[in-house]
Amino acid sequence: MDIVIALIYIVLFIIMMIFVFSIGMIRNYMPKREIVLVLVVAFLIGAIGGAFFLEPIYEELPQMMSTVEKNVPGNEETMYLDLSSSINMNELNDNLSKTEGFVSLKETAITIPLWKLNDKEVEYFNYVLKNIDSHFKNYNVTKDGKLQIELEDNYSSYDALKSFSDWYKLVYGGSISYAQVHAELVVSSSSIEDFQKILLDYGVVPSKMEGPVQSTINDTNTSMLPSTHFVLITGAVGVVVALLGIYYDSFGVFSRRFRRFMREKRKR
């Protein structure tokens, strides 16, 4: 949210509280039983003002808090990406590496969907995968037909998919139509938005993010009140402001008596 808009919202809420205060002040000209009505109206105005003007600012609090971390030199964020094998990884890497704030892009694993496997097929794939390519660091085969293969450092997903596809075609006579590439993109915290825009051009949204900025956002979200509770609190603020208006004259009398008492005490 723009700072100017946020300030306007805050000013509008303050104006509403001034109006509530004014309602409280004219309570002396109403029957005593009307005090409940004044407090109810004050609560509604506070709740409505909080919902329309303060809650949008409150919801932006995690992003505002993360701005500090974004501007700390040396802070880095890790984006975990799930990419289609149809994406040109060389082109993507080239576009990302040219962007200021780029640290590294590492292809970590591939996931190949097959068909539902029985126990014998799971055992067979677990046995044969280690012999297909020595660069397969680790692998996991599930009964729902997903083969997840971890890659050694500096080994590309293209080469890994080619090795498996060549073996698959030789054994089964078919081809692999789709696979997913898992990668880790490390960037400067101050440049997160730039890289998110580039990834969005490829239809990619990070599945997870880790780093100082994301930790700040997560911690702030955890500590924040639900929207309903926040609105109720702003309603309670309206009630407090109304009470200040109702008893303003009493506060003024007490304040004058207190100042008089202090002056007399000093004279003694």
Side-chain angles (χ1 to χ4, degrees), residues 137-156:
K137 184 178 178 181
N138 200 0
Y139 45 84
N140 181 47
V141 183
T142 60
K143 284 189 174 183
D144 60 355
K146 288 186 178 179
L147 280 63
Q148 183 158 334
I149 304 170
E150 293 183 23
L151 308 178
E152 285 187 351
D153 294 343
N154 301 319
Y155 191 60
S156 71

Side-chain angles (χ1 to χ4, degrees), residues 83-89 157-158 161 176-181:
L83 312 162
S84 170
S85 57
S86 62
I87 289 179
N88 188 326
M89 292 299 297
S157 59
Y158 174 83
L161 288 169
I176 301 299
S177 59
Y178 175 79
Q180 194 173 55
V181 178

Side-chain angles (χ1 to χ4, degrees), residues 38-259:
V38 170
L39 294 180
V40 170
V41 171
F43 177 84
L44 291 176
I45 293 175
I48 293 171
F52 280 94
F53 300 128
L54 295 188
E55 189 183 5
I57 300 173
Y58 186 67
E59 290 177 348
E60 292 288 330
L61 188 60
Q63 295 298 329
M64 289 188 287
M65 295 295 292
S66 68
T67 302
V68 177
E69 294 293 345
K70 287 181 181 179
N71 294 315
V72 175
N75 276 357
E76 295 178 353
E77 302 293 312
T78 301
M79 300 182 184
Y80 295 89
L81 312 177
D82 297 324
L83 312 162
S84 170
S85 57
S86 62
I87 289 179
N88 188 326
M89 292 299 297
N90 290 329
E91 178 186 296
L92 177 61
N93 185 55
D94 185 55
N95 288 336
L96 292 173
S97 61
K98 288 179 180 178
T99 306
E100 185 178 354
F102 175 82
V103 178
S104 67
L105 176 64
K106 177 184 176 183
E107 299 171 55
T108 58
I110 56 173
T111 297
I112 304 171
L114 297 177
W115 59 89
K116 286 188 177 181
L117 306 174
N118 57 40
D119 292 337
K120 288 185 177 180
E121 288 173 324
V122 170
E123 184 180 353
Y124 172 70
F125 275 106
N126 274 318
Y127 169 76
V128 78
L129 278 172
K130 61 184 177 183
N131 299 315
I132 294 176
D133 194 322
S134 60
H135 296 289
F136 291 174
K137 184 178 178 181
N138 200 0
Y139 45 84
N140 181 47
V141 183
T142 60
K143 284 189 174 183
D144 60 355
K146 288 186 178 179
L147 280 63
Q148 183 158 334
I149 304 170
E150 293 183 23
L151 308 178
E152 285 187 351
D153 294 343
N154 301 319
Y155 191 60
S156 71
S157 59
Y158 174 83
D159 292 331
L161 288 169
K162 187 177 186 306
S163 293
F164 184 84
S165 296
D166 290 344
W167 171 86
Y168 186 84
K169 187 174 183 179
L170 181 65
V171 175
Y172 290 94
S175 59
I176 301 299
S177 59
Y178 175 79
Q180 194 173 55
V181 178
H182 308 285
E184 295 178 6
L185 174 62
V186 182
V187 302
S188 171
S189 296
S190 60
S191 305
I192 293 175
E193 287 81 5
D194 296 334
F195 288 95
Q196 287 177 327
K197 289 178 182 177
I198 295 174
L199 292 172
L200 200 57
D201 290 338
Y202 287 86
V204 177
V205 176
S207 58
K208 187 175 69 170
M209 288 178 57
E210 291 180 351
V213 171
Q214 191 61 39
S215 295
T216 300
I217 292 174
N218 293 340
D219 293 342
T220 306
N221 279 326
T222 302
S223 62
M224 289 176 66
L225 296 170
S227 297
T228 304
H229 293 179
F230 180 79
V231 171
L232 290 176
I233 289 175
T234 58
V237 170
V239 172
V240 171
V241 172
L243 289 172
L244 290 175
I246 291 171
Y247 296 106
Y248 175 76
D249 291 338
S250 300
F251 292 144
V253 172
F254 174 79
S255 177
R256 287 192 296 271
R257 288 178 178 177
F258 180 76
R259 287 198 298 269

